[in-house]
């Protein structure tokens, strides 16, 4: 099993969710996060005062899938979340040793 962690722009969430559902992903977790990378923040004006925003809002997606589906999930997220502008995000893939569905006690692939 693999866990895919993706940081994407918030307005891309619904497009990414629909694309993942279309390839058979049955669930994902979404968290609101802030961070910086190459985008490095920006300047905003609030009530006439200019201030620097160092952390940019993103959404973090966490998806656990069978190892055979992982590459397709990564490709789908990358294609769907891409705007071609700085700050499109990052995707990480991590091995998952064990999964357990709390309600039924199912483990590993059956728990997905």
């Amino acid at each position: 099993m693999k866990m895919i962690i993706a940081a994407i722009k918030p307005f891309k969430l619904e497009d990414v969710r629909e694309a993942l559902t279309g390839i058979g992903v049955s669930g994902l977790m979404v968290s609101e996060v802030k961070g910086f990378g190459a985008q490095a923040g920006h300047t905003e004006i609030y009530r006439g005062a200019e201030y620097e925003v160092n952390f940019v809002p993103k959404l973090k997606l966490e998806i656990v899938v069978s190892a055979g589906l992982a590459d397709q999930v990564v490709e789908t997220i990358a294609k769907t979340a891409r705007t071609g502008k700085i700050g499109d995000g990052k995707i990480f893939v991590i091995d998952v040793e064990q999964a357990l569905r709390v309600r039924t006690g199912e483990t590993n692939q059956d728990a997905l």
Side-chain angles (χ1 to χ4, degrees), residues 7 14 23 41 43-44 52 55 80 88 97:
E14 194 55 32
I23 64 166
T43 303
E44 289 188 3
E52 192 170 319
F55 293 96
T80 310
D88 276 348
E97 290 185 27

Coordinates of all heavy atoms in Angstrom, one line a residue, residues 7 14 23 41 43-44 52 55 80 88 97:
A7 N 0.0 18.6 -1.7 CA -0.3 19.9 -1.4 C -0.8 20.6 -2.6 O 0.0 20.6 -3.6 CB 0.9 20.6 -0.7
E14 N -12.1 20.4 -5.9 CA -13.2 19.7 -6.5 C -12.8 19.0 -7.8 O -13.2 17.9 -8.0 CB -14.4 20.7 -6.7 CG -15.7 19.9 -7.0 CD -16.1 18.9 -5.9 OE1 -15.8 19.1 -4.7 OE2 -16.7 17.9 -6.3
I23 N -11.0 7.5 -11.3 CA -10.1 6.4 -11.5 C -10.2 5.3 -10.4 O -9.4 4.4 -10.4 CB -8.6 6.9 -11.6 CG1 -8.2 7.5 -10.3 CG2 -8.4 7.8 -12.8 CD1 -6.7 7.8 -10.2
G41 N 5.5 33.3 -0.5 CA 4.6 34.3 0.1 C 4.3 35.5 -0.9 O 4.8 35.5 -2.0
T43 N 2.7 40.0 -0.8 CA 2.3 41.2 -0.1 C 0.8 41.5 -0.3 O 0.3 41.4 -1.4 CB 3.2 42.4 -0.5 OG1 4.5 42.0 -0.4 CG2 2.9 43.6 0.3
E44 N 0.1 41.8 0.8 CA -1.3 42.2 0.7 C -1.5 43.5 1.4 O -0.7 44.0 2.2 CB -2.2 41.2 1.4 CG -2.2 39.9 0.6 CD -3.3 38.9 1.2 OE1 -4.0 39.2 2.2 OE2 -3.4 37.8 0.6
E52 N 3.2 41.6 4.7 CA 3.8 40.4 4.0 C 3.1 39.1 4.5 O 3.1 38.9 5.7 CB 5.3 40.4 4.1 CG 5.9 39.4 3.2 CD 7.4 39.5 3.1 OE1 7.9 40.6 3.2 OE2 8.1 38.4 3.1
F55 N 3.2 32.7 4.7 CA 2.7 31.3 4.5 C 1.5 31.4 3.6 O 0.6 32.2 3.8 CB 2.4 30.7 5.8 CG 3.6 30.4 6.7 CD1 4.0 31.4 7.6 CD2 4.4 29.3 6.5 CE1 5.1 31.1 8.4 CE2 5.5 29.1 7.2 CZ 5.9 30.0 8.2
T80 N -4.4 17.2 -12.9 CA -5.6 18.0 -12.6 C -5.3 19.2 -11.8 O -6.0 20.3 -11.9 CB -6.6 17.1 -11.8 OG1 -6.8 15.9 -12.5 CG2 -7.9 17.8 -11.6
D88 N 1.8 25.5 -7.6 CA 0.9 24.5 -7.9 C 0.9 23.3 -6.8 O 0.0 22.6 -6.7 CB 1.2 23.9 -9.3 CG 0.5 24.7 -10.4 OD1 -0.4 25.5 -10.0 OD2 0.8 24.4 -11.5
E97 N 2.7 0.5 6.0 CA 3.0 -0.9 6.5 C 1.7 -1.6 6.8 O 1.5 -2.8 6.6 CB 3.9 -0.9 7.7 CG 5.3 -0.5 7.4 CD 6.2 -0.6 8.6 OE1 5.9 -1.4 9.5 OE2 7.2 0.1 8.7

